[in-house]
């Protein structure tokens, strides 16, 4: 007789895509609530470690490198914009550039001028925050299967989900197209540098990615993705009324919550009521979409741990931004530092690297099997 079977959660399998996106959104939320470069680098490092440990062998799993280059480009452009448009005389001047005079209608805008250390650090901090958010989105796009994500979208949001899935697959398709075109050009030989090689590389990559996007959209349309079933006039009126009431409740509740002069009795009750009515409207709208699921993605302990990690990281980031302002928003004239809570953000962000199963199509596993 054979021994007891291994637990199902420990077998190689792909994690639920919504769990990956929840974890990534939690990291991005924590990154958006701080300008501390050490904390931002910690968040980006956590996302990178998880991607390297749990990326799959599918084309979307190889798109993280593009997001890394995009994040680096974002930081560089943010610093360059500070040099070109953010010249100021207050601070330690590092580079004294001549200021270009502008007409009177451009009052308040400076072109070049003295470049100070404080201006460069401010641009670097802002660029790192944008880069961290981009890297978190890239981590989710590299870990979550976009096609399985579409199968997990609620029926009421199926049409929007179809468009989003086609949109988020652009970077993975670009990465796969670049890899295939590079391999084909290496076999053919020819120019290896200069503008000619760049033109021979970019045009086939863009053309191939566009064709694959159109093929994906056509295939999804053929299989009925995004198509809605029939609904009576009464059902459409009920759905529209619920969604309109939900929109009004959420708008009024949000305004009352943000405005301290508004009656607080309208804040949380209206916001909570609007969310409840919106959920009812989504359920009502989902009844007109008829579709079946083949092997739906399960929710097990690794999924719950990943979702909980993202939520805890987001809450910790919010708490640091309100209770530890000096840590979350350090000045450009002092050295930034990390508190124990900020260190905990980076440690918790890497939990999915060890708490989730290895993907069934992981590159290392495929090489071992080969």
């Amino acid at each position: 007789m054979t021994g007891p079977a291994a637990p199902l959660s420990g077998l190689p399998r792909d994690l639920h895509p919504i769990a990956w996106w929840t974890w990534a959104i939690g990291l991005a939320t924590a990154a958006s609530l701080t300008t501390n470069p050490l904390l931002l680098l910690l968040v980006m490092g956590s996302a990178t470690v998880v991607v390297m440990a749990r990326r799959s062998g599918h084309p979307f799993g190889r798109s993280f490198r593009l997001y890394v280059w995009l994040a680096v480009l974002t930081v560089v452009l943010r610093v360059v914009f500070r040099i070109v448009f953010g010249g100021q005389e207050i601070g330690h001047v590092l580079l004294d550039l001549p200021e270009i005079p502008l007409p009177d209608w451009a009052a308040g805008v400076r072109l070049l001028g003295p470049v100070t250390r404080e201006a460069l650090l401010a641009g670097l901090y802002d660029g790192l925050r944008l880069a961290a958010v981009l890297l978190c989105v890239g981590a989710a796009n590299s870990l979550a299967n976009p096609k399985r994500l579409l199968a997990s979208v609620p029926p009421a949001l199926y049409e929007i989900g179809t468009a989003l899935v086609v949109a988020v697959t652009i970077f993975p398709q670009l990465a796969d197209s670049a890899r295939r075109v590079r391999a084909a050009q290496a076999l053919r030989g020819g120019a290896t540098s200069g503008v000619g090689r760049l033109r021979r590389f970019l045009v086939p990559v863009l053309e191939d990615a566009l064709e694959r996007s159109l093929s994906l959209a056509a295939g999804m349309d053929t299989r009925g993705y995004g198509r809605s079933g029939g609904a009576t006039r009464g059902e459409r009126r009920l759905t529209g009324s619920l969604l309109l009431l939900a929109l009004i409740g959420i708008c009024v509740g949000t305004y009352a919550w943000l405005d301290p002069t508004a009656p607080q009795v309208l804040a949380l009750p209206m916001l909570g009521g609007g969310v409840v009515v919106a959920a009812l409207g989504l359920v009502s709208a989902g009844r007109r979409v008829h579709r079946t699921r083949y092997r739906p993605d399960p929710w097990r302990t690794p999924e719950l741990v990943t979702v909980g990690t993202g939520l805890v990281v987001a809450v910790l980031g919010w708490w640091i931004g309100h209770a530890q302002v000096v840590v979350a928003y350090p000045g450009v004239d002092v050295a930034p530092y990390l508190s124990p809570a900020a260190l905990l953000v980076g440690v918790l962000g890497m939990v999915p690297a060890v708490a989730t199963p290895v993907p069934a199509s992981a590159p290392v596993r495929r090489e071992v099997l080969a």
Side-chain angles (χ1 to χ4, degrees):
M1 295 179 63
T2 58
L8 193 60
S9 59
L11 296 177
R13 65 179 180 90
D14 292 335
L15 204 71
H16 201 289
I18 294 182
W20 281 130
W21 274 102
T22 305
W23 164 80
I25 290 175
L27 288 182
T29 302
S32 64
L33 296 174
T34 180
T35 57
N36 191 326
L38 301 179
L39 182 55
L40 293 173
L41 291 175
L42 200 60
V43 170
M44 290 189 286
S46 301
T48 304
V49 168
V50 175
V51 171
M52 293 296 103
R54 290 296 181 262
R55 64 187 180 94
S56 64
H58 296 293
F60 61 85
R62 296 188 291 266
S63 63
F64 187 70
R65 184 180 301 177
L66 291 178
Y67 286 96
V68 173
W69 284 111
L70 183 61
V72 173
L73 181 62
T74 300
V75 176
V76 173
L77 290 179
R78 194 68 183 88
V79 174
V80 170
F81 285 162
R82 278 282 182 172
I83 295 175
V84 176
F85 299 104
Q88 59 182 10
E89 300 177 356
I90 302 176
H92 298 80
V93 178
L94 300 178
L95 186 61
D96 193 3
L97 298 176
E99 183 178 351
I100 300 177
L102 297 176
D104 296 337
W105 55 266
V109 179
R110 298 186 61 175
L111 196 60
L112 298 181
V115 179
T116 61
R117 182 183 63 187
E118 289 76 10
L120 289 180
L121 288 178
L124 179 64
Y125 291 178
D126 291 341
L128 284 176
R129 178 163 58 176
L130 293 176
V133 174
L134 286 174
L135 213 61
C136 293
V137 175
N141 203 10
S142 303
L143 294 169
N145 192 328
K147 297 179 182 179
R148 299 178 68 180
L149 177 64
L150 179 62
S152 305
V153 172
L157 304 177
Y158 213 44
E159 299 174 355
I160 300 176
T162 304
L164 290 178
V165 167
V166 175
V168 298
T169 53
I170 291 178
F171 267 110
Q173 289 172 359
L174 281 175
D176 191 49
S177 299
R179 180 183 58 84
R180 295 192 295 111
V181 171
R182 189 185 303 113
Q185 290 184 353
L187 293 175
R188 295 189 183 97
T192 59
S193 62
V195 181
R197 181 180 181 275
L198 183 63
R199 184 175 63 252
R200 291 175 55 242
F201 178 75
L202 286 180
V203 173
V205 167
L206 296 177
E207 183 181 1
D208 184 69
L210 179 60
E211 289 180 356
R212 297 184 67 184
S213 298
L214 294 178
S215 299
L216 175 62
M220 295 171 65
D221 182 70
T222 302
R223 291 168 175 81
Y225 284 87
R227 296 183 182 179
S228 58
T232 62
R233 180 177 299 179
E235 292 175 347
R236 289 196 296 268
R237 289 180 178 177
L238 176 62
T239 302
S241 302
L242 289 175
L243 294 179
L244 182 60
L245 290 176
L247 182 61
I248 295 175
I250 292 175
C251 290
V252 173
T254 304
Y255 178 80
W257 184 38
L258 297 177
D259 187 7
T261 61
Q264 293 301 311
V265 71
L266 298 177
L268 293 181
M270 290 293 294
L271 187 59
V275 171
V276 172
V277 175
L280 295 177
L282 291 178
V283 172
S284 176
R287 293 178 179 176
R288 61 189 178 90
V289 179
H290 304 284
R291 60 188 175 95
T292 58
R293 288 186 180 181
Y294 176 70
R295 292 183 180 179
D297 293 323
W299 279 90
R300 299 194 179 100
T301 302
E303 280 82 2
L304 298 178
V305 171
T306 304
V307 171
T309 299
L311 295 178
V312 171
V313 167
V315 172
L316 271 178
W318 175 84
W319 182 81
I320 293 172
H322 287 75
Q324 300 179 355
V325 181
V326 179
V327 177
Y329 302 99
V332 294
D333 54 345
V334 296
Y337 65 94
L338 294 176
S339 63
L343 289 173
L344 187 60
V345 169
V347 174
L348 288 177
M350 293 185 289
V351 168
V354 295
T356 57
V358 178
S361 59
V364 176
R365 178 176 173 82
R366 292 194 308 169
E367 292 175 3
V368 172
L369 292 178

